[in-house]
Amino acid sequence: MRFVTRTGLSGPIFAALLAAAPHAHSATEFTVNGVDVDSRVVDLYVQSRAQMPASQVGDAKRSELVQELTDIYLITTQARVDELAKQPEVQAQLELQKRGLLAQIAAGDYLSNNAATDEEILAEYAVQIESAPNRQFKARHILVESQSAAVDLISELDDGANFEELAKSNSTGPSGPNGGDLGWFAPNQMVKPFSDAVAELEDGGYTKEPVQTQFGWHVILREDSRDSEPPTLDSVRESIKQRVEQRKLQKYIEQLRALNDD
């Protein structure tokens, strides 16, 4: 018999799903060893496994998932399970799962009553636009393991070598086969020593000294630059909304901590 333990729900939600059956008030869908399984529990299980609303799941798929759930009840309604459930380690796990589920529900309830307003979203968007880099760069680089290797490559460039070909034959980075091409990027998308070096170059110029980062030693060619176009509010509204609401939730938790410390 195969028992499915991975669902669309987290572990805490899955555990509480089974425990919730006796307290639900909708119709009993089936009974296993004297335990009534509520249709609300069945729908939640079907939805979590199928990753779509239960009402949209076809009859054949629903039957398959109902059998999975039946098997879960079959094994968890054996007398031995009652003994296992009394073990301190199991009780601790169930307590953690219960608290995890309740924490998710409580956080969701708090955010549903404290959703980000349009004013808050606009204010956060303005801050992001203000702090966003105003330039983008198009660059190539050659990544090597030692400073001396980078110095040698710079000497070859000084003698007229082709940067793209040197990158293809020497770079250890993933962009090496493409001639070290990094495409267009904003400075904050790269580690600071790299982005600082690119910003100091002129278009068409390459670094005259190796640039060290945690990845190794770089020789960098800045091919082009342009003004950055800020993202539209519509394109980032959802991410900004989530960021604002996460801060609200964190502030709420900090308030609860302070009350608990008093």
Side-chain angles (χ1 to χ4, degrees):
M1 184 182 297
R2 181 175 67 92
F3 295 100
V4 177
T5 56
R6 181 181 63 82
T7 74
L9 299 174
S10 66
I13 295 179
F14 180 70
L17 178 154
L18 297 181
H23 306 290
H25 299 294
S26 49
T28 296
E29 184 148 333
F30 60 87
T31 301
V32 179
N33 289 334
V35 176
D36 293 336
V37 183
D38 193 278
S39 61
R40 190 175 304 167
V41 174
V42 176
D43 285 345
L44 182 56
Y45 183 80
V46 169
Q47 176 176 314
S48 70
R49 289 284 288 116
Q51 295 294 294
M52 65 175 65
S55 60
Q56 297 179 14
V57 177
D59 291 343
K61 184 63 175 178
R62 181 180 177 86
S63 295
E64 175 188 336
L65 297 176
V66 168
Q67 184 58 60
E68 286 183 4
L69 185 58
T70 301
D71 292 344
I72 291 171
Y73 272 89
L74 280 170
I75 196 170
T76 56
T77 52
Q78 301 304 305
R80 173 59 177 160
V81 175
D82 290 338
E83 298 175 17
L84 295 173
K86 294 175 183 178
Q87 294 179 356
E89 295 82 1
V90 175
Q91 290 181 345
Q93 287 181 335
L94 291 174
E95 175 66 13
L96 286 175
Q97 291 174 339
K98 172 185 173 183
R99 293 298 170 183
L101 170 64
L102 291 175
Q104 292 178 41
I105 293 172
D109 178 71
Y110 176 81
L111 291 178
S112 69
N113 293 304
N114 295 273
T117 65
D118 286 342
E119 291 78 10
E120 290 170 331
I121 291 173
L122 285 170
E124 178 67 18
Y125 176 68
V127 170
Q128 285 196 19
I129 295 302
E130 181 67 24
S131 61
N134 56 16
R135 296 288 286 171
Q136 288 184 328
F137 303 106
K138 187 176 187 299
R140 295 179 184 270
H141 80 135
I142 306 171
L143 176 65
V144 290
E145 295 181 356
S146 68
Q147 183 179 16
S148 60
V151 169
D152 290 342
L153 289 168
I154 292 172
S155 295
E156 291 189 54
L157 290 170
D158 290 340
D159 291 337
N162 180 274
F163 193 100
E164 185 174 347
E165 293 304 318
L166 284 180
K168 288 180 179 179
S169 58
N170 293 275
S171 183
T172 62
S175 65
N178 296 322
D181 187 13
L182 297 172
W184 287 97
F185 58 88
N188 60 0
Q189 292 177 277
M190 299 295 181
V191 293
K192 193 173 189 304
F194 191 99
S195 61
D196 287 348
V198 173
E200 291 176 1
L201 291 170
E202 299 290 336
D203 290 349
Y206 58 87
T207 51
K208 299 299 183 178
E209 297 290 338
V211 177
Q212 185 180 23
T213 71
Q214 64 264 45
F215 304 108
W217 293 87
H218 306 258
V219 181
I220 307 168
L221 167 66
R222 182 171 125 179
E223 294 186 307
D224 202 356
S225 60
R226 66 187 182 190
D227 291 335
S228 295
E229 289 293 331
T232 64
L233 176 58
D234 286 343
S235 69
V236 295
R237 175 182 289 274
E238 187 57 33
S239 63
I240 289 177
K241 179 177 183 292
Q242 292 176 3
R243 186 176 296 111
V244 170
E245 291 179 350
Q246 185 59 39
R247 283 206 300 263
K248 285 188 172 186
L249 180 60
Q250 186 59 40
K251 183 176 180 180
Y252 172 60
I253 292 173
E254 291 170 358
Q255 291 171 344
L256 294 179
R257 289 175 182 168
L259 290 172
N260 186 58
D261 292 338
D262 289 344

